Amino acid sequence: MKLFYRENLLPKELKAGLNALSNAYPISKKGSKNSVELRFKPGGNRLKEGLKVVYNKNGVEIIYGRRIDAFRALGRLMGASKKEGFEETPRFNFLGLMIDCSRGAVLNLESGKRWLRHLALMGINALTLYTEDTYQVKEEPFFGYLRGAYTKQELKELDDYANTLGIEMFPCIQVLGHLSQILRWPAYQDIMDVKGVLLVDEEKTYLLLEKMIKAASGSFHSRRIHIGMDKTHGLGTGVYQQKHGIVSSFEIFNKHLKRVCRICSRIGAKPMIWDDMYFRFGSKTNNYYDKNAVIPREVIKDIPDNVALVYWDYHHADYQWYVDFLDKHKIFGKTIIVAPGVWTWGRVWASYHFAETTLNSCMAACKKMGMKETLATMWGDDGSECNFFSALPAVQLYAEHCYQDKINSSLLKANFQGSCQADFDAYVRAGDLDNIPGLADSAKSPYNPSKILLWDDPLLGLWQKDLPTDKLAAHYKKLKTELENMIKKNANGTKPLKFACQLAQTLQLKANLWTRMVNAYKSKKDLSSFVENEIPALSRQVKKLYRIHRDSWMENNKPFGFEVIESRYGALLARIDSLKNCLNDYLAKKINSIAEWDIPHRRISSSGRFPGSSDYKNIVFPSAEV
């Protein structure tokens, strides 16, 4: 549907946002043949939240409560195939997304603005960038050193852009744990308790935290600030214990939180924290999701009044689990923000299937329990190998839950076409890189076999006994062909798909190569065809994959962090070269045998089960962590 608007008729609050969208989407300021005129009308007291779209003789009118509702309506119209009116009422008043900018990839400004446009058209009204140390702090030169730290001006530019689209941006940092990257530097050794955790009750700690909080919050209109405080494992057991003796973890945690909240209060910031440590400290097994965890009343009473709690839960598939755990959160008597996961971490392509399973259960439970604030998370653990834009279908699904009681798959796909100008099914089909034959349904577990197969050492074949290699070549060949056809059919929004397509081609070649080489070796068959044809072909495809991956990274992120990914490609290519050299030596009778293939190879996973999600260091070499 061709849409146009007359700028002089726009409500003032929509002009900047609509002009920004018109630069990137098929919306014009001038009418043309068969185009439909857009008109916007604030809902006033009759419609404070939500939207109503009505077709009339003048075109189409969008009546909206909030600015984000107006842009959500526009996204729906751009994806619609019929001229039909509709109404929507949001189930949540705060629908946020968090993007990890601390595990390697730091979004560049253009990529950040692209995300904001997508979110506005989906109806998501908040965005936060998770920055452990990737923001500049005055007089702290090692903050984000060689990591792509955001300047104050960059964050302000993103915040101003978000504001024009009706999106609230706010900072998301860490003030206790998850600070290994900054605490690695000698300048901060005197404020470290244990690895990655700040030293509580040390005055230097709070001088630094005041700088951090002021720097992080100083670029945003919003007064919200997420101060983290999750996974503070070992709190109080290192330098703190040497200085103060054994003190209750609850006591140390709340004492620190109160001091940080006082800093926030002085600058008018409203903090929130991840709440897992209260449950972990109260669990005999340090388990966040231990239903038998006991949090003493005096601990709950001692939590500062001005802090909100964020309940994060990415793994549970059962609706009733979320209902029960949300009910357990009532003991706090506080605002609870629920944070589901979009499953971008530890993998090379987002897992829509598992995200769909967990999001559907979590968001349905949130509606049932009357929750009003949610914050979906996109983490980048293990080097941010995954292009976050591959998660757009799951983010669209998350948005639909705000405006629908039950998900209509046709509407979901149409709205995705409108907000992302891309083929929903193609992005989801690319996720079948990890939905391989012979393993459990990827909707039930976040397996990452494509990452394992990609980085598995080509000579050692560490994981070859765990993967159904006899079925994988055909699987990846079919996937590659289908993705190629999808790219040709719909050229819009296909850049991320080119990586998935090339990865499928690379894995097709690598899938059963090791098994066939070892079988030929043990059967005393000629290995020369592997040396002359298959190994060089694999090397060429890996190099092509690397170039696509690099181009994608540089388009979406600052250059910092890619050295981690690049080193992985370099190691893989070196090992492919080593494989070729080894076979050449064997064929030339320089060596009598191939030691790596003479030993019996074993399954690593137990009970015939696949090991699930694995990090790079656990995939590549058995001799040392990397």
Side-chain angles (χ1 to χ4, degrees):
M1 185 185 304
K2 295 180 180 180
L3 299 170
F4 78 97
Y5 63 95
R6 302 177 197 275
E7 193 170 9
N8 64 310
L9 297 180
L10 285 178
K12 184 178 179 180
E13 62 181 350
L14 298 182
K15 284 185 179 181
L18 201 54
N19 287 338
L21 290 169
S22 68
N23 291 328
Y25 285 84
I27 316 164
S28 173
K29 295 181 182 180
K30 294 181 180 180
S32 61
K33 186 178 181 181
N34 298 325
S35 63
V36 177
E37 182 177 354
L38 283 166
R39 294 200 179 186
F40 295 84
K41 179 181 178 182
N45 292 329
R46 289 188 176 185
L47 186 67
K48 294 184 177 180
E49 288 187 334
L51 57 99
K52 183 177 182 180
V53 173
V54 180
Y55 281 89
N56 54 42
K57 62 181 181 180
N58 295 319
V60 59
E61 183 176 57
I62 297 174
I63 305 169
Y64 65 94
R66 307 167 300 172
R67 284 183 294 162
I68 195 66
D69 298 322
F71 297 126
R72 158 79 182 183
L74 178 58
R76 279 200 60 172
L77 284 171
M78 285 194 290
S81 57
K82 297 180 180 179
K83 294 181 179 181
E84 295 177 340
F86 53 87
E87 296 182 44
E88 288 184 332
T89 302
R91 277 62 170 173
F92 306 98
N93 52 40
F94 177 85
L95 187 74
L97 180 71
M98 185 221 78
I99 301 178
D100 188 348
C101 293
S102 292
R103 277 15 187 277
V106 177
L107 294 180
N108 60 37
L109 291 188
E110 286 309 307
S111 183
K113 291 176 182 179
R114 198 182 328 146
W115 267 107
L116 287 165
R117 293 192 294 269
H118 289 319
L119 299 184
L121 295 171
M122 292 177 183
I124 293 175
N125 65 354
L127 174 67
T128 185
L129 305 179
Y130 176 72
T131 51
E132 292 173 354
D133 69 318
T134 47
Y135 59 101
Q136 291 184 0
V137 178
K138 190 176 180 179
E139 298 176 344
E140 300 295 336
F142 285 99
F143 251 75
Y145 178 58
L146 294 177
R147 297 244 294 141
Y150 287 112
T151 66
K152 182 176 181 179
Q153 291 71 27
E154 287 175 324
L155 292 173
K156 186 178 186 305
E157 183 175 336
L158 284 174
D159 183 59
D160 287 342
Y161 193 83
N163 192 49
T164 66
L165 294 166
I167 295 174
E168 175 187 0
M169 281 194 73
F170 61 96
C172 183
I173 64 172
Q174 289 286 357
V175 298
L176 186 55
H178 272 301
L179 289 171
S180 294
Q181 293 303 120
I182 191 65
L183 293 177
R184 69 183 293 183
W185 304 114
Y188 300 102
Q189 292 300 298
D190 58 351
I191 58 169
M192 181 172 69
D193 179 8
V194 294
K195 183 179 180 181
V197 179
L198 288 172
L199 181 58
V200 176
D201 275 348
E202 170 57 54
E203 287 307 309
K204 289 182 181 179
T205 296
Y206 300 99
L207 291 173
L208 174 63
L209 287 175
E210 184 146 6
K211 289 183 184 180
M212 290 165 57
I213 292 168
K214 286 180 177 178
S217 61
S219 299
F220 299 96
H221 290 84
S222 174
R223 300 323 299 151
R224 292 183 198 255
I225 182 170
H226 198 321
I227 56 174
M229 294 187 63
D230 60 312
K231 294 186 177 180
T232 57
H233 303 303
L235 174 67
T237 63
V239 176
Y240 184 92
Q241 187 170 305
Q242 294 171 16
K243 288 189 171 187
H244 304 284
I246 298 175
V247 180
S248 161
S249 299
F250 280 127
E251 182 180 338
I252 300 171
F253 191 86
N254 270 354
K255 189 176 186 179
H256 181 72
L257 178 59
K258 284 190 280 189
R259 285 205 64 170
V260 174
C261 284
R262 286 199 292 271
I263 294 172
C264 291
S265 294
R266 286 200 295 271
I267 64 171
K270 299 177 181 179
M272 63 180 81
I273 65 168
W274 309 110
D275 71 7
D276 57 305
M277 295 313 298
Y278 287 112
F279 292 91
R280 293 183 194 275
F281 292 148
S283 168
K284 293 180 179 179
T285 58
N286 193 38
N287 180 4
Y288 182 13
Y289 306 110
D290 181 357
K291 290 187 176 181
N292 296 316
V294 177
I295 307 172
R297 289 184 179 179
E298 59 269 22
V299 170
I300 295 173
K301 187 177 179 181
D302 203 35
I303 299 173
D305 293 335
N306 65 330
V307 67
L309 302 181
V310 184
Y311 157 44
W312 59 269
D313 196 329
Y314 315 140
H315 297 80
H316 290 101
D318 180 41
Y319 160 80
Q320 192 58 45
W321 166 271
Y322 291 100
V323 170
D324 293 344
F325 216 66
L326 283 169
D327 189 62
K328 191 173 179 67
H329 273 77
K330 290 179 180 178
I331 61 173
F332 292 108
K334 288 185 166 294
T335 297
I336 302 297
I337 302 166
V338 183
V342 183
W343 281 98
T344 49
W345 55 97
R347 55 201 322 106
V348 291
W349 191 267
S351 176
Y352 176 80
H353 300 297
F354 192 59
E356 179 184 35
T357 298
T358 56
L359 279 170
N360 284 346
S361 296
C362 179
M363 298 301 282
C366 286
K367 295 172 199 175
K368 168 72 174 178
M369 300 299 288
M371 310 308 294
K372 292 298 179 184
E373 300 189 23
T374 63
L375 180 67
T377 60
M378 296 200 307
W379 296 102
D381 299 43
D382 201 28
S384 302
E385 290 171 326
C386 180
N387 181 343
F388 284 139
F389 287 101
S390 70
L392 281 170
V395 178
Q396 184 77 56
L397 173 67
Y398 168 66
E400 296 308 297
H401 272 290
C402 180
Y403 292 90
Q404 312 291 331
D405 285 327
K406 292 185 178 180
I407 300 301
N408 179 313
S409 61
S410 297
L411 182 60
L412 168 65
K413 294 177 183 181
N415 290 347
F416 181 81
Q417 178 63 42
S419 65
C420 301
Q421 300 290 289
D423 183 353
F424 183 94
D425 290 331
Y427 275 65
V428 173
R429 180 69 174 108
D432 287 338
L433 286 162
D434 291 317
N435 194 24
I436 64 175
L439 291 184
D441 186 351
S442 63
K444 298 178 181 178
S445 182
Y447 294 137
N448 62 351
S450 64
K451 174 171 178 166
I452 292 173
L453 181 56
L454 173 62
W455 301 130
D456 189 29
D457 188 88
L459 180 55
L460 297 178
L462 185 62
W463 292 94
Q464 294 300 304
K465 293 295 182 180
D466 292 83
L467 294 166
T469 55
D470 57 322
K471 302 174 183 177
L472 292 184
H475 171 77
Y476 286 120
K477 181 179 181 180
K478 181 180 179 182
L479 178 58
K480 172 202 169 250
T481 301
E482 290 186 15
L483 290 176
E484 282 179 335
N485 291 335
M486 288 174 161
I487 291 170
K488 290 176 184 177
K489 184 179 178 181
N490 186 351
N492 291 329
T494 59
K495 281 188 178 180
L497 295 173
K498 291 177 182 177
F499 171 82
C501 188
Q502 179 58 34
L503 178 57
Q505 178 157 0
T506 304
L507 297 183
Q508 175 194 338
L509 293 182
K510 195 181 181 193
N512 59 10
L513 176 61
W514 184 90
T515 300
R516 289 188 293 108
M517 288 188 300
V518 173
N519 288 342
Y521 166 73
K522 292 186 175 182
S523 301
K524 306 297 183 183
K525 294 180 180 178
D526 184 27
L527 297 171
S528 58
S529 64
F530 294 110
V531 175
E532 295 168 5
N533 301 311
E534 296 195 50
I535 296 173
L538 176 60
S539 182
R540 287 193 297 272
Q541 294 304 323
V542 170
K543 289 176 181 176
K544 187 176 180 181
L545 181 66
Y546 156 71
R547 288 192 292 269
I548 293 173
H549 201 160
R550 185 183 187 280
D551 289 346
S552 174
W553 183 287
M554 297 304 168
E555 180 182 12
N556 296 325
N557 309 306
K558 296 185 177 187
F560 304 95
F562 191 69
E563 68 276 4
V564 175
I565 309 301
E566 197 161 48
S567 69
R568 295 176 184 178
Y569 280 107
L572 177 58
L573 287 167
R575 290 298 290 168
I576 292 173
D577 195 45
S578 186
L579 167 64
K580 183 179 178 181
N581 291 337
C582 179
L583 294 191
N584 273 328
D585 287 347
Y586 178 73
L587 290 170
K589 301 189 183 304
K590 292 181 180 179
I591 57 174
N592 297 322
S593 64
I594 300 174
E596 294 90 341
W597 295 351
D598 285 337
I599 64 169
H601 281 72
R602 312 180 190 283
R603 284 186 66 96
I604 297 171
S605 53
S606 60
S607 305
R609 296 182 63 187
F610 193 70
S613 181
S614 295
D615 290 343
Y616 179 78
K617 68 180 182 181
N618 296 321
I619 294 172
V620 281
F621 312 126
S623 295
E625 287 190 358
V626 290

